[in-house]
Amino acid sequence: MDQQTEIELQAAAFRRLQKHLMRDRTDVQNIDMMNLTGFCRNCLSRWYQEAANEKGIEMGKDEARQVFYGMTMDEWKANYQTEASPEKKAEFDVAFEENVGKKD
């Protein structure tokens, strides 16, 4: 497989993952994803932001999230986010530190 085709397939797979998480499975909470997989929608938007910045495209966290979510974080939270239990929050703190680093 040539490199351009590989890039196109990777991009298509990413777009399908994004659609799955943003439209098909809005019921899946970020905290559950982070606790089970070590990444969530916010991680994906951060990776998108980092890739843009590496290419010299200035993009902040909020802008990257809006590109990835298709709406602002406030809109996403109002429409889809539910309250997490204290146990899930504690698991999240561990998962976040292991996979992202210490919170600021």
Side-chain angles (χ1 to χ4, degrees):
M1 178 183 315
D2 65 89
Q3 186 177 15
Q4 184 59 37
T5 300
E6 183 176 359
I7 290 168
E8 291 170 7
L9 294 175
Q10 291 168 342
F14 175 82
R15 286 190 300 272
R16 184 61 186 94
L17 172 63
Q18 182 183 24
K19 179 185 177 291
H20 184 75
L21 294 174
M22 297 310 117
R23 295 187 203 140
D24 300 340
R25 292 304 309 267
T26 56
D27 61 313
V28 176
Q29 298 296 301
N30 278 337
I31 196 166
D32 295 326
M33 289 177 60
M34 180 60 89
N35 290 349
L36 290 172
T37 66
F39 78 98
C40 67
R41 292 172 181 92
N42 293 333
C43 295
L44 290 165
S45 68
R46 188 182 76 249
W47 298 337
Y48 185 92
Q49 173 194 3
E50 290 169 355
N53 293 163
E54 287 174 11
K55 290 283 192 184
I57 301 167
E58 286 194 36
M59 180 178 290
K61 178 171 73 172
D62 291 337
E63 185 181 0
R65 285 182 175 177
Q66 189 161 351
V67 167
F68 194 83
Y69 282 83
M71 63 186 72
T72 67
M73 278 303 301
D74 288 340
E75 290 171 313
W76 177 268
K77 287 178 181 181
N79 290 325
Y80 304 113
Q81 189 165 309
T82 61
E83 184 61 33
S85 70
E87 294 81 16
K88 284 186 180 183
K89 289 178 181 179
E91 288 176 40
F92 174 82
D93 289 339
V94 172
F96 189 93
E97 188 170 331
E98 288 175 350
N99 295 286
V100 180
K102 292 210 181 269
K103 290 184 183 180
D104 293 335

